[in-house]
């Protein structure tokens, strides 16, 4: 059985004391963010990852060793990795999500922006048949964001990220499962996992961690 835990939090749940559990790399990234919302999103993502793993391993959150090395440039802005577990972190608007599994996983959430230039972004990221289907939707910003989060979840599961041409990611890639998640009516969210069978998804609130 393929299982995945999906943890959701809101930036209003952030407390300054969470900074105490960050490693030096995370502290530096946290400090470098200028906007308070970006700081809060990053800090909450780090905190959820650390506290979920700390709970599993019965260790202090600060002692969890995380690797964020980017395979392209070596800077610590890549997919977060830890020994013996697969992780994916996402943030948008108020929401922060973390997926945890024993199989490669990608999680993506995006706040739906009604003012989005749908045509502009769709041309760069959707295949011809998707563009055609999109044109038939009433709420095109929502429909586009659903496509986008599904595609982002896929490229986050493989670790390729936006280096991949999203126009070529259509439907469900072989060997993967892609599931749309309901978190908040103002957001789209999707989970992709390398698995031959649909996963059992356990949705968890960070309330129990903080
Ligand atoms: C990963 C990526 C798709 C995230 O997109 P986004 O919608 O802006 O942001 P999200 O909030 O959903 O995800 C951010 C998280 O993705 C994770 N991430 C970063 N690179 C990733 C990758 N290649 N694959 C999977 N996850 C990745 C990180 O954990 C990050 O969280 P953090 O703030 O704790 O570091 C995008 O940033 C990307 O493609 N980056 C790598 C591509 C690239 O340009 N590489 C070369 C850089 S030198
Ligand atoms: Zn890089």
């Amino acid at each position: 059985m393929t299982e995945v835990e999906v943890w959701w939090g809101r930036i209003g749940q952030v407390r300054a004391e969470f900074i105490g559990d960050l490693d030096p790399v995370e502290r530096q990234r946290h400090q470098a963010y200028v906007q308070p919302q970006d700081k809060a999103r990053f800090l909450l993502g780090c905190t959820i990852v650390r506290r979920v793993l700390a709970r599993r391993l019965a260790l202090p959150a600060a002692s969890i060793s995380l690797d964020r090395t980017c395979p392209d440039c070596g800077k610590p802005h890549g997919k977060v990795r830890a020994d013996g577990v697969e992780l994916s972190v996402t943030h948008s608007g108020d929401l922060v999500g973390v997926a945890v599994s024993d199989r490669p996983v990608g999680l993506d959430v995006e706040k739906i922006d009604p003012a989005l230039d749908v045509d502009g972004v769709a041309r760069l990221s959707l295949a011809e048949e998707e563009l055609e289907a999109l044109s038939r939707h009433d709420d095109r910003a929502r429909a586009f964001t659903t496509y986008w989060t599904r595609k982002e979840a896929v490229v986050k599961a493989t670790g390729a990220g936006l280096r991949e041409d999203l126009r070529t990611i259509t439907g469900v890639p072989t060997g993967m499962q892609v599931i749309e998640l309901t978190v908040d009516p103002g957001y789209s969210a999707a989970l992709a996992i390398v698995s031959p069978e649909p996963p059992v998804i356990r949705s968890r609130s960070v309330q129990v961690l903080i």
Side-chain angles (χ1 to χ4, degrees):
M1 186 169 62
T2 303
E3 290 177 276
V4 51
E5 278 178 10
V6 181
W7 293 83
W8 291 108
R10 300 224 173 225
I11 54 174
Q13 291 172 300
V14 166
R15 294 200 303 270
E17 73 206 47
F18 296 169
I19 297 168
D21 288 340
L22 302 185
D23 67 22
V25 156
E26 291 167 334
R27 270 175 213 232
Q28 204 171 23
R29 280 193 54 196
H30 179 253
Q31 255 169 25
Y33 283 112
V34 176
Q35 300 298 331
Q37 293 226 329
D38 290 330
K39 274 192 199 288
R41 280 188 281 261
F42 177 69
L43 178 55
L44 188 55
C46 296
T47 302
I48 299 172
V49 168
R50 290 189 166 277
R51 294 196 180 193
V52 168
L53 299 184
R55 221 166 96 119
R56 289 186 168 210
L57 302 168
L59 288 169
S63 74
I64 303 296
S65 177
L66 300 174
D67 180 8
R68 298 167 180 277
T69 310
C70 168
D72 289 336
C73 71
K75 286 189 191 149
H77 58 207
K79 187 173 189 176
V80 59
R81 297 180 195 280
D83 281 345
V85 69
E86 297 283 346
L87 298 161
S88 186
V89 176
T90 187
H91 4 61
S92 181
D94 276 354
L95 282 171
V96 179
V98 175
V100 188
S101 183
D102 53 10
R103 291 172 178 273
V105 69
L107 180 66
D108 196 58
V109 68
E110 294 289 338
K111 190 170 183 177
I112 298 163
D113 174 5
L116 182 71
D117 169 16
V118 175
D119 293 326
V121 285
R123 237 181 307 119
L124 299 173
S125 53
L126 300 193
E128 281 302 325
E129 63 271 24
E130 293 171 331
L131 287 170
E132 204 185 301
L134 180 69
S135 69
R136 293 193 292 269
H137 279 274
D138 290 336
D139 187 346
R140 293 167 68 250
R142 178 177 298 274
F144 170 77
T145 310
T146 301
Y147 276 123
W148 177 264
T149 52
R150 291 180 61 103
K151 288 167 183 259
E152 284 253 312
V154 168
V155 299
K156 289 177 81 175
T158 63
L162 291 177
R163 269 169 285 150
E164 201 81 45
D165 181 350
L166 291 186
R167 289 171 298 191
T168 66
I169 313 283
T170 54
V172 178
T174 310
M176 268 205 201
Q177 307 287 328
V178 182
I179 301 109
E180 286 163 29
L181 306 176
T182 305
V183 205
D184 180 302
Y187 295 75
S188 289
L191 175 88
I193 188 159
V194 177
S195 166
E197 57 184 9
V200 174
I201 301 171
R202 298 187 209 289
S203 199
R204 311 286 313 264
S205 160
V206 302
Q207 205 65 55
V208 300
L209 300 173
I210 57 183

